[in-house]
mmCIF file of all heavy atoms in Angstrom:
data_model
loop_
_atom_site.group_PDB
_atom_site.id
_atom_site.type_symbol
_atom_site.label_atom_id
_atom_site.label_comp_id
_atom_site.label_asym_id
_atom_site.label_seq_id
_atom_site.Cartn_x
_atom_site.Cartn_y
_atom_site.Cartn_z
ATOM 1 N N ILE A 1295 -37.002 61.105 10.663
ATOM 2 C CA ILE A 1295 -37.826 62.201 10.137
ATOM 3 C C ILE A 1295 -38.650 61.658 8.983
ATOM 4 O O ILE A 1295 -38.100 61.085 8.023
ATOM 5 C CB ILE A 1295 -36.956 63.374 9.670
ATOM 6 C CG1 ILE A 1295 -36.100 63.890 10.826
ATOM 7 C CG2 ILE A 1295 -37.823 64.493 9.103
ATOM 8 C CD1 ILE A 1295 -35.111 64.958 10.426
ATOM 9 N N LEU A 1296 -39.959 61.827 9.062
ATOM 10 C CA LEU A 1296 -40.882 61.376 8.021
ATOM 11 C C LEU A 1296 -41.555 62.594 7.418
ATOM 12 O O LEU A 1296 -42.275 63.328 8.097
ATOM 13 C CB LEU A 1296 -41.922 60.419 8.593
ATOM 14 C CG LEU A 1296 -43.000 59.956 7.601
ATOM 15 C CD1 LEU A 1296 -42.382 59.114 6.486
ATOM 16 C CD2 LEU A 1296 -44.100 59.173 8.317
ATOM 17 N N LEU A 1297 -41.347 62.787 6.111
ATOM 18 C CA LEU A 1297 -41.988 63.871 5.370
ATOM 19 C C LEU A 1297 -43.077 63.260 4.507
ATOM 20 O O LEU A 1297 -42.799 62.448 3.618
ATOM 21 C CB LEU A 1297 -40.962 64.603 4.502
ATOM 22 C CG LEU A 1297 -41.510 65.655 3.538
ATOM 23 C CD1 LEU A 1297 -42.184 66.788 4.291
ATOM 24 C CD2 LEU A 1297 -40.389 66.189 2.639
ATOM 25 N N ASP A 1298 -44.334 63.640 4.785
ATOM 26 C CA ASP A 1298 -45.488 63.078 4.086
ATOM 27 C C ASP A 1298 -46.178 64.203 3.316
ATOM 28 O O ASP A 1298 -46.919 65.019 3.886
ATOM 29 C CB ASP A 1298 -46.447 62.446 5.095
ATOM 30 C CG ASP A 1298 -47.557 61.660 4.423
ATOM 31 O OD1 ASP A 1298 -47.718 61.790 3.185
ATOM 32 O OD2 ASP A 1298 -48.266 60.913 5.113
ATOM 33 N N TYR A 1299 -45.936 64.256 2.001
ATOM 34 C CA TYR A 1299 -46.546 65.299 1.173
ATOM 35 C C TYR A 1299 -48.050 65.115 1.062
ATOM 36 O O TYR A 1299 -48.806 66.098 1.054
ATOM 37 C CB TYR A 1299 -45.932 65.282 -0.219
ATOM 38 C CG TYR A 1299 -44.606 66.009 -0.341
ATOM 39 C CD1 TYR A 1299 -43.411 65.316 -0.407
ATOM 40 C CD2 TYR A 1299 -44.553 67.391 -0.399
ATOM 41 C CE1 TYR A 1299 -42.194 65.973 -0.524
ATOM 42 C CE2 TYR A 1299 -43.351 68.064 -0.512
ATOM 43 C CZ TYR A 1299 -42.169 67.347 -0.575
ATOM 44 O OH TYR A 1299 -40.981 68.002 -0.685
ATOM 45 N N GLU A 1300 -48.492 63.868 0.945
ATOM 46 C CA GLU A 1300 -49.918 63.619 0.708
ATOM 47 C C GLU A 1300 -50.770 64.091 1.873
ATOM 48 O O GLU A 1300 -51.866 64.623 1.683
ATOM 49 C CB GLU A 1300 -50.138 62.124 0.445
ATOM 50 C CG GLU A 1300 -49.355 61.583 -0.741
ATOM 51 C CD GLU A 1300 -49.687 62.321 -2.026
ATOM 52 O OE1 GLU A 1300 -50.853 62.761 -2.168
ATOM 53 O OE2 GLU A 1300 -48.799 62.456 -2.879
ATOM 54 N N ASN A 1301 -50.276 63.898 3.091
ATOM 55 C CA ASN A 1301 -51.032 64.306 4.275
ATOM 56 C C ASN A 1301 -50.526 65.611 4.864
ATOM 57 O O ASN A 1301 -51.010 66.029 5.931
ATOM 58 C CB ASN A 1301 -50.966 63.210 5.337
ATOM 59 C CG ASN A 1301 -51.614 61.922 4.861
ATOM 60 O OD1 ASN A 1301 -52.722 61.932 4.333
ATOM 61 N ND2 ASN A 1301 -50.909 60.809 5.036
ATOM 62 N N SER A 1302 -49.538 66.249 4.198
ATOM 63 C CA SER A 1302 -48.993 67.542 4.641
ATOM 64 C C SER A 1302 -48.527 67.473 6.088
ATOM 65 O O SER A 1302 -48.897 68.298 6.936
ATOM 66 C CB SER A 1302 -50.041 68.662 4.470
ATOM 67 O OG SER A 1302 -50.389 68.802 3.117
ATOM 68 N N LYS A 1303 -47.704 66.468 6.392
ATOM 69 C CA LYS A 1303 -47.211 66.275 7.748
ATOM 70 C C LYS A 1303 -45.707 66.076 7.744
ATOM 71 O O LYS A 1303 -45.133 65.543 6.798
ATOM 72 C CB LYS A 1303 -47.881 65.059 8.413
ATOM 73 C CG LYS A 1303 -49.361 65.253 8.707
ATOM 74 C CD LYS A 1303 -49.932 64.030 9.411
ATOM 75 C CE LYS A 1303 -51.411 64.225 9.746
ATOM 76 N NZ LYS A 1303 -51.968 63.032 10.444
ATOM 77 N N LEU A 1304 -45.087 66.511 8.855
ATOM 78 C CA LEU A 1304 -43.666 66.283 9.103
ATOM 79 C C LEU A 1304 -43.549 65.738 10.514
ATOM 80 O O LEU A 1304 -43.906 66.417 11.481
ATOM 81 C CB LEU A 1304 -42.868 67.579 8.963
ATOM 82 C CG LEU A 1304 -41.377 67.473 9.283
ATOM 83 C CD1 LEU A 1304 -40.665 66.612 8.251
ATOM 84 C CD2 LEU A 1304 -40.736 68.857 9.357
ATOM 85 N N SER A 1305 -43.045 64.497 10.651
ATOM 86 C CA SER A 1305 -43.006 63.814 11.945
ATOM 87 C C SER A 1305 -41.572 63.512 12.338
ATOM 88 O O SER A 1305 -40.716 63.238 11.484
ATOM 89 C CB SER A 1305 -43.815 62.509 11.892
ATOM 90 O OG SER A 1305 -45.159 62.765 11.531
ATOM 91 N N PHE A 1306 -41.330 63.538 13.681
ATOM 92 C CA PHE A 1306 -40.011 63.239 14.247
ATOM 93 C C PHE A 1306 -40.155 62.044 15.189
ATOM 94 O O PHE A 1306 -41.148 61.926 15.925
ATOM 95 C CB PHE A 1306 -39.460 64.451 15.004
ATOM 96 C CG PHE A 1306 -39.211 65.647 14.132
ATOM 97 C CD1 PHE A 1306 -40.232 66.556 13.857
ATOM 98 C CD2 PHE A 1306 -37.972 65.872 13.569
ATOM 99 C CE1 PHE A 1306 -40.013 67.664 13.061
ATOM 100 C CE2 PHE A 1306 -37.738 66.981 12.762
ATOM 101 C CZ PHE A 1306 -38.763 67.870 12.509
ATOM 102 N N PHE A 1307 -39.116 61.174 15.208
ATOM 103 C CA PHE A 1307 -39.162 59.945 15.999
ATOM 104 C C PHE A 1307 -37.817 59.722 16.671
ATOM 105 O O PHE A 1307 -36.760 60.108 16.147
ATOM 106 C CB PHE A 1307 -39.482 58.732 15.120
ATOM 107 C CG PHE A 1307 -40.769 58.840 14.369
ATOM 108 C CD1 PHE A 1307 -40.824 59.448 13.116
ATOM 109 C CD2 PHE A 1307 -41.946 58.336 14.908
ATOM 110 C CE1 PHE A 1307 -42.005 59.545 12.420
ATOM 111 C CE2 PHE A 1307 -43.137 58.436 14.209
ATOM 112 C CZ PHE A 1307 -43.172 59.044 12.968
ATOM 113 N N ASN A 1308 -37.904 59.083 17.862
ATOM 114 C CA ASN A 1308 -36.706 58.545 18.511
ATOM 115 C C ASN A 1308 -36.536 57.131 17.989
ATOM 116 O O ASN A 1308 -37.287 56.225 18.367
ATOM 117 C CB ASN A 1308 -36.868 58.566 20.036
ATOM 118 C CG ASN A 1308 -35.604 58.163 20.755
ATOM 119 O OD1 ASN A 1308 -34.746 57.465 20.207
ATOM 120 N ND2 ASN A 1308 -35.484 58.590 22.010
ATOM 121 N N VAL A 1309 -35.550 56.931 17.123
ATOM 122 C CA VAL A 1309 -35.421 55.659 16.418
ATOM 123 C C VAL A 1309 -35.100 54.522 17.366
ATOM 124 O O VAL A 1309 -35.632 53.409 17.236
ATOM 125 C CB VAL A 1309 -34.337 55.771 15.326
ATOM 126 C CG1 VAL A 1309 -34.107 54.439 14.640
ATOM 127 C CG2 VAL A 1309 -34.722 56.832 14.305
ATOM 128 N N ASP A 1310 -34.257 54.751 18.353
ATOM 129 C CA ASP A 1310 -33.795 53.659 19.208
ATOM 130 C C ASP A 1310 -34.922 53.023 20.004
ATOM 131 O O ASP A 1310 -34.905 51.806 20.254
ATOM 132 C CB ASP A 1310 -32.712 54.174 20.160
ATOM 133 C CG ASP A 1310 -31.463 54.609 19.406
ATOM 134 O OD1 ASP A 1310 -31.213 54.036 18.320
ATOM 135 O OD2 ASP A 1310 -30.756 55.512 19.884
ATOM 136 N N ILE A 1311 -35.913 53.822 20.402
ATOM 137 C CA ILE A 1311 -37.014 53.263 21.199
ATOM 138 C C ILE A 1311 -38.334 53.311 20.434
ATOM 139 O O ILE A 1311 -39.401 53.097 21.031
ATOM 140 C CB ILE A 1311 -37.139 54.010 22.541
ATOM 141 C CG1 ILE A 1311 -37.430 55.494 22.313
ATOM 142 C CG2 ILE A 1311 -35.883 53.813 23.379
ATOM 143 C CD1 ILE A 1311 -37.681 56.270 23.608
ATOM 144 N N SER A 1312 -38.255 53.634 19.124
ATOM 145 C CA SER A 1312 -39.466 53.677 18.273
ATOM 146 C C SER A 1312 -40.524 54.594 18.861
ATOM 147 O O SER A 1312 -41.726 54.268 18.910
ATOM 148 C CB SER A 1312 -40.033 52.263 18.073
ATOM 149 O OG SER A 1312 -39.064 51.414 17.510
ATOM 150 N N GLN A 1313 -40.100 55.753 19.309
ATOM 151 C CA GLN A 1313 -41.009 56.694 19.975
ATOM 152 C C GLN A 1313 -41.306 57.877 19.060
ATOM 153 O O GLN A 1313 -40.416 58.450 18.448
ATOM 154 C CB GLN A 1313 -40.366 57.206 21.270
ATOM 155 C CG GLN A 1313 -41.245 58.201 22.028
ATOM 156 C CD GLN A 1313 -40.524 58.808 23.210
ATOM 157 O OE1 GLN A 1313 -39.299 58.860 23.227
ATOM 158 N NE2 GLN A 1313 -41.272 59.245 24.217
ATOM 159 N N HIS A 1314 -42.596 58.185 18.994
ATOM 160 C CA HIS A 1314 -43.023 59.360 18.243
ATOM 161 C C HIS A 1314 -42.806 60.599 19.098
ATOM 162 O O HIS A 1314 -43.213 60.662 20.258
ATOM 163 C CB HIS A 1314 -44.497 59.235 17.860
ATOM 164 C CG HIS A 1314 -45.044 60.480 17.231
ATOM 165 N ND1 HIS A 1314 -45.988 61.265 17.860
ATOM 166 C CD2 HIS A 1314 -44.768 61.092 16.046
ATOM 167 C CE1 HIS A 1314 -46.288 62.293 17.085
ATOM 168 N NE2 HIS A 1314 -45.557 62.212 15.980
ATOM 169 N N LEU A 1315 -42.139 61.610 18.524
ATOM 170 C CA LEU A 1315 -41.827 62.820 19.269
ATOM 171 C C LEU A 1315 -42.811 63.941 18.986
ATOM 172 O O LEU A 1315 -43.405 64.507 19.904
ATOM 173 C CB LEU A 1315 -40.403 63.278 18.932
ATOM 174 C CG LEU A 1315 -39.290 62.268 19.239
ATOM 175 C CD1 LEU A 1315 -37.930 62.815 18.811
ATOM 176 C CD2 LEU A 1315 -39.281 61.913 20.728
ATOM 177 N N TYR A 1316 -43.001 64.286 17.725
ATOM 178 C CA TYR A 1316 -43.908 65.388 17.396
ATOM 179 C C TYR A 1316 -44.205 65.340 15.893
ATOM 180 O O TYR A 1316 -43.396 64.851 15.089
ATOM 181 C CB TYR A 1316 -43.288 66.741 17.749
ATOM 182 C CG TYR A 1316 -44.226 67.905 17.526
ATOM 183 C CD1 TYR A 1316 -45.301 68.130 18.378
ATOM 184 C CD2 TYR A 1316 -44.039 68.770 16.448
ATOM 185 C CE1 TYR A 1316 -46.162 69.198 18.172
ATOM 186 C CE2 TYR A 1316 -44.891 69.838 16.237
ATOM 187 C CZ TYR A 1316 -45.956 70.041 17.091
ATOM 188 O OH TYR A 1316 -46.815 71.078 16.875
ATOM 189 N N THR A 1317 -45.364 65.882 15.506
ATOM 190 C CA THR A 1317 -45.767 65.948 14.102
ATOM 191 C C THR A 1317 -46.264 67.349 13.784
ATOM 192 O O THR A 1317 -47.146 67.881 14.489
ATOM 193 C CB THR A 1317 -46.863 64.927 13.770
ATOM 194 O OG1 THR A 1317 -46.342 63.609 13.949
ATOM 195 C CG2 THR A 1317 -47.340 65.081 12.331
ATOM 196 N N PHE A 1318 -45.673 67.964 12.750
ATOM 197 C CA PHE A 1318 -46.147 69.249 12.229
ATOM 198 C C PHE A 1318 -47.216 68.999 11.178
ATOM 199 O O PHE A 1318 -47.129 68.054 10.384
ATOM 200 C CB PHE A 1318 -45.001 70.011 11.550
ATOM 201 C CG PHE A 1318 -44.037 70.653 12.486
ATOM 202 C CD1 PHE A 1318 -42.790 70.104 12.688
ATOM 203 C CD2 PHE A 1318 -44.371 71.822 13.154
ATOM 204 C CE1 PHE A 1318 -41.877 70.700 13.533
ATOM 205 C CE2 PHE A 1318 -43.463 72.431 14.004
ATOM 206 C CZ PHE A 1318 -42.219 71.861 14.201
ATOM 207 N N SER A 1319 -48.213 69.852 11.128
ATOM 208 C CA SER A 1319 -49.140 69.923 9.997
ATOM 209 C C SER A 1319 -48.675 71.084 9.127
ATOM 210 O O SER A 1319 -48.778 72.258 9.528
ATOM 211 C CB SER A 1319 -50.577 70.137 10.477
ATOM 212 O OG SER A 1319 -51.027 69.002 11.181
ATOM 213 N N CYS A 1320 -48.140 70.757 7.956
ATOM 214 C CA CYS A 1320 -47.469 71.756 7.120
ATOM 215 C C CYS A 1320 -48.301 72.068 5.880
ATOM 216 O O CYS A 1320 -48.991 71.193 5.335
ATOM 217 C CB CYS A 1320 -46.085 71.249 6.681
ATOM 218 S SG CYS A 1320 -45.099 70.547 8.015
ATOM 219 N N GLN A 1321 -48.202 73.283 5.438
ATOM 220 C CA GLN A 1321 -48.776 73.679 4.152
ATOM 221 C C GLN A 1321 -47.643 73.654 3.119
ATOM 222 O O GLN A 1321 -46.924 74.630 2.939
ATOM 223 C CB GLN A 1321 -49.400 75.073 4.254
ATOM 224 C CG GLN A 1321 -50.570 75.163 5.215
ATOM 225 C CD GLN A 1321 -51.728 74.278 4.791
ATOM 226 O OE1 GLN A 1321 -52.001 74.106 3.596
ATOM 227 N NE2 GLN A 1321 -52.414 73.706 5.779
ATOM 228 N N LEU A 1322 -47.479 72.516 2.476
ATOM 229 C CA LEU A 1322 -46.357 72.317 1.549
ATOM 230 C C LEU A 1322 -46.819 72.625 0.126
ATOM 231 O O LEU A 1322 -47.214 71.736 -0.631
ATOM 232 C CB LEU A 1322 -45.833 70.875 1.665
ATOM 233 C CG LEU A 1322 -45.395 70.448 3.076
ATOM 234 C CD1 LEU A 1322 -44.993 68.988 3.092
ATOM 235 C CD2 LEU A 1322 -44.258 71.333 3.562
ATOM 236 N N HIS A 1323 -46.815 73.901 -0.221
ATOM 237 C CA HIS A 1323 -47.269 74.295 -1.551
ATOM 238 C C HIS A 1323 -46.197 74.060 -2.602
ATOM 239 O O HIS A 1323 -46.463 74.172 -3.803
ATOM 240 C CB HIS A 1323 -47.679 75.771 -1.550
ATOM 241 C CG HIS A 1323 -46.601 76.691 -1.053
ATOM 242 N ND1 HIS A 1323 -46.416 76.943 0.295
ATOM 243 C CD2 HIS A 1323 -45.662 77.403 -1.707
ATOM 244 C CE1 HIS A 1323 -45.401 77.779 0.457
ATOM 245 N NE2 HIS A 1323 -44.920 78.079 -0.750
ATOM 246 N N GLN A 1324 -44.964 73.785 -2.171
ATOM 247 C CA GLN A 1324 -43.899 73.422 -3.097
ATOM 248 C C GLN A 1324 -42.966 72.450 -2.383
ATOM 249 O O GLN A 1324 -43.166 72.130 -1.210
ATOM 250 C CB GLN A 1324 -43.141 74.664 -3.566
ATOM 251 C CG GLN A 1324 -42.462 75.450 -2.455
ATOM 252 C CD GLN A 1324 -41.803 76.719 -2.976
ATOM 253 O OE1 GLN A 1324 -42.050 77.132 -4.087
ATOM 254 N NE2 GLN A 1324 -40.973 77.350 -2.149
ATOM 255 N N PHE A 1325 -41.964 71.995 -3.101
ATOM 256 C CA PHE A 1325 -41.081 70.986 -2.540
ATOM 257 C C PHE A 1325 -40.156 71.606 -1.495
ATOM 258 O O PHE A 1325 -39.729 72.759 -1.613
ATOM 259 C CB PHE A 1325 -40.236 70.337 -3.644
ATOM 260 C CG PHE A 1325 -41.049 69.496 -4.580
ATOM 261 C CD1 PHE A 1325 -41.295 69.930 -5.876
ATOM 262 C CD2 PHE A 1325 -41.576 68.278 -4.174
ATOM 263 C CE1 PHE A 1325 -42.040 69.167 -6.748
ATOM 264 C CE2 PHE A 1325 -42.325 67.506 -5.037
ATOM 265 C CZ PHE A 1325 -42.566 67.948 -6.327
ATOM 266 N N VAL A 1326 -39.873 70.801 -0.461
ATOM 267 C CA VAL A 1326 -38.961 71.212 0.602
ATOM 268 C C VAL A 1326 -37.730 70.308 0.582
ATOM 269 O O VAL A 1326 -37.717 69.265 -0.092
ATOM 270 C CB VAL A 1326 -39.642 71.142 1.982
ATOM 271 C CG1 VAL A 1326 -40.767 72.142 2.079
ATOM 272 C CG2 VAL A 1326 -40.136 69.725 2.268
ATOM 273 N N HIS A 1327 -36.698 70.717 1.320
ATOM 274 C CA HIS A 1327 -35.456 69.958 1.398
ATOM 275 C C HIS A 1327 -35.068 69.770 2.852
ATOM 276 O O HIS A 1327 -35.346 70.636 3.702
ATOM 277 C CB HIS A 1327 -34.331 70.686 0.661
ATOM 278 C CG HIS A 1327 -34.566 70.791 -0.810
ATOM 279 N ND1 HIS A 1327 -34.351 69.752 -1.687
ATOM 280 C CD2 HIS A 1327 -35.016 71.830 -1.564
ATOM 281 C CE1 HIS A 1327 -34.631 70.141 -2.912
ATOM 282 N NE2 HIS A 1327 -35.053 71.396 -2.859
#
Side-chain angles (χ1 to χ4, degrees):
I1295 302 174
L1296 176 65
L1297 173 63
D1298 189 348
Y1299 278 103
E1300 301 302 328
N1301 297 312
S1302 298
K1303 291 182 179 180
L1304 176 67
S1305 302
F1306 296 86
F1307 302 87
N1308 186 336
V1309 176
D1310 295 331
I1311 61 175
S1312 303
Q1313 180 187 24
H1314 173 248
L1315 301 178
Y1316 184 73
T1317 296
F1318 284 105
S1319 293
C1320 313
Q1321 296 298 325
L1322 303 176
H1323 55 275
Q1324 61 184 13
F1325 292 108
V1326 295
H1327 295 282

